[in-house]
Amino acid sequence: MHRRPARTRLFTAALAALVVGSAGAAVATATTAFAATGCRVAYTVASQWAGGFTANVSVTNLGDPLSGWTLRWSYAAGQTVTQAWNATVTQSGSAVTAVNASYNGSLATNGSTSFGFNGGWNNSTNPVPTSFTLNGTTCTGSTTPTTGPTTGGPTTRPPTTAPTTRPPGSTPPEKTIRVYWLKPTDVAYDQRYPDGIANVMREAQRYYRQELGKTFTLNNPVVEVVDGDHPRSWYENTPNGNECYWWVVFNMQQELMRKLNLRAPDSRWINVGEISAEASCSGGGGGSGWVILSGHDADGAAGIGGNMNRWYGGMVHELGHAFGLPDSTSTDGTPMSASFYNYPNTHFSQAQKNNILNGPYGSFLS
């Protein structure tokens, strides 16, 4: 299993101790509780100077009480976060993630908290971000139910397309790529995620045909939406593996295996799982017929994480691991190195092409 922490350097990690065999028959999805979600964010630039600025962010939870929170936004003018207080703030490209500190994670209904940070800017423009999400919910200043009407009368939901869930008991053809978006119980359904992940997979499909003359088969629907059994914080904070980098994606993978009777490795399908959950230390990776990715990849696919070429290149890279390729030892122009950042201006070497075509999943390509 390979990983890419914040996509800055590439590592190899052992997975055998964490991945178990087939879990037998699939089990039913747990019923999710009715809840209301909503939030309001005030972002202000408190001071600004040549090359630097200080910003303050106030977060108000308008929905049901939260035991932990993650706020996300993207910058449009190349701003960077350099130092933060009252939250753990990380940045990957234009996408920024702020996670509560140990002492301000609980937010009651209408409860507020705030944090601040120093950052860098281009000395030309420093616009305020136009959109924020709190635990996966877009902050609009109003509330929306996550799963349907609550007791006492009808409620209003934003228009969505019906969830792209595969009918119970059905499975797609073998030797295809199965793709899943696992939605925790406290994350609102958002059609941008299955649509966006499907688009990333279609672009990767196109790229593999361009490079290999063959490509993999996707299913209909491309993305199977899987209702998780737990809230977002459970996936983020339940230890699973020897470091917190893997907790979210291993928790997701093992739940998918249990629910859908999957294996690792699985000779029937290559499995791609993405989850809308991510702690400050979370990552993802690929190997042995699997790709397992956390919240920033799901957000990126949904169009929330900046330049789409980055997410296309990342998926091409992780699928390469799923097909059996190791990381390149240097930035060599191939997508198995940091050159995937340059997508689409990156290409498999002839040796990599041969290894994919002759590898354990080469027969999946046609």
Side-chain angles (χ1 to χ4, degrees):
M1 180 65 66
H2 299 259
R3 68 176 185 179
R4 44 169 197 227
R7 303 197 200 266
T8 55
R9 51 192 185 120
L10 307 172
F11 294 83
T12 302
L15 179 60
L18 276 302
V19 176
V20 297
S22 173
V27 297
T29 301
T31 302
T32 57
F34 294 122
T37 60
C39 45
R40 181 172 58 246
V41 174
Y43 177 111
T44 58
V45 177
S47 60
Q48 187 169 283
W49 59 94
F53 69 98
T54 297
N56 294 320
V57 183
S58 175
V59 182
T60 302
N61 172 38
L62 302 177
D64 290 350
L66 300 177
S67 59
W69 53 266
T70 299
L71 187 73
R72 290 182 169 88
W73 70 90
S74 292
Y75 281 126
Q79 299 100 316
T80 57
V81 175
T82 57
Q83 180 187 24
W85 50 92
N86 294 334
T88 300
V89 182
T90 57
Q91 184 168 356
S92 183
S94 62
V96 182
T97 301
V99 179
N100 63 269
S102 60
Y103 49 82
N104 65 356
S106 296
L107 282 179
T109 303
N110 295 319
S112 297
T113 190
S114 61
F115 62 94
F117 59 89
N118 292 326
W121 67 300
N122 59 16
N123 291 325
S124 175
T125 181
N126 187 11
V128 172
T130 58
S131 179
F132 297 85
T133 63
L134 182 67
N135 289 4
T137 297
T138 301
C139 296
T140 63
S142 62
T143 59
T144 301
T146 59
T147 58
T150 58
T151 301
T155 56
T156 302
R157 297 191 64 180
T160 63
T161 303
T164 52
T165 305
R166 185 170 297 281
S170 69
T171 55
E174 295 188 6
K175 292 190 179 297
T176 60
I177 291 189
R178 291 183 71 175
V179 187
Y180 320 96
W181 174 47
L182 193 146
K183 184 183 75 61
T185 57
D186 55 352
V187 171
Y189 182 81
D190 188 331
Q191 189 65 33
R192 291 179 298 174
Y193 285 83
D195 286 350
I197 295 168
N199 287 337
V200 168
M201 296 304 302
R202 292 187 186 101
E203 172 60 20
Q205 184 184 48
R206 182 206 66 79
Y207 178 88
Y208 271 71
R209 183 173 296 282
Q210 167 194 296
E211 295 292 302
L212 301 170
K214 297 181 177 182
T215 195
F216 49 83
T217 299
L218 296 168
N219 294 293
N220 183 22
V222 175
V223 178
E224 300 172 52
V225 179
V226 179
D227 287 331
D229 289 343
H230 308 281
R232 187 173 190 152
S233 60
W234 183 90
Y235 299 96
E236 297 169 344
N237 299 319
T238 300
N240 194 342
N242 59 3
E243 54 179 313
C244 65
Y245 182 96
W246 294 110
W247 293 357
V248 165
V249 292
F250 281 171
N251 285 327
M252 169 189 66
Q253 183 189 39
Q254 289 173 7
E255 186 169 323
L256 290 173
M257 291 170 67
R258 175 175 57 83
K259 284 177 174 291
L260 302 175
N261 196 22
L262 305 175
R263 308 164 190 157
D266 195 325
S267 61
R268 299 165 297 174
W269 305 287
I270 289 177
N271 295 290
V272 176
E274 301 201 26
I275 181 172
S276 288
E278 180 170 357
S280 59
C281 57
S282 298
S288 300
W290 276 86
V291 173
I292 46 178
L293 300 172
S294 55
H296 68 278
D297 285 272
D299 287 347
I304 301 171
N307 189 333
M308 288 304 300
N309 279 341
R310 171 192 169 167
W311 310 111
Y312 297 148
M315 182 58 70
V316 164
H317 173 92
E318 298 301 354
L319 284 171
H321 288 318
F323 276 105
L325 294 183
D327 287 321
S328 295
T329 57
S330 62
T331 304
D332 58 2
T334 76
M336 301 316 297
S337 73
S339 297
F340 76 78
Y341 283 110
N342 299 326
Y343 187 91
N345 299 316
T346 181
H347 302 281
F348 286 123
S349 68
Q350 188 59 52
Q352 289 170 338
K353 295 177 184 179
N354 293 340
N355 287 340
I356 291 174
L357 294 171
N358 297 322
Y361 294 94
S363 60
F364 282 47
L365 301 170
S366 60

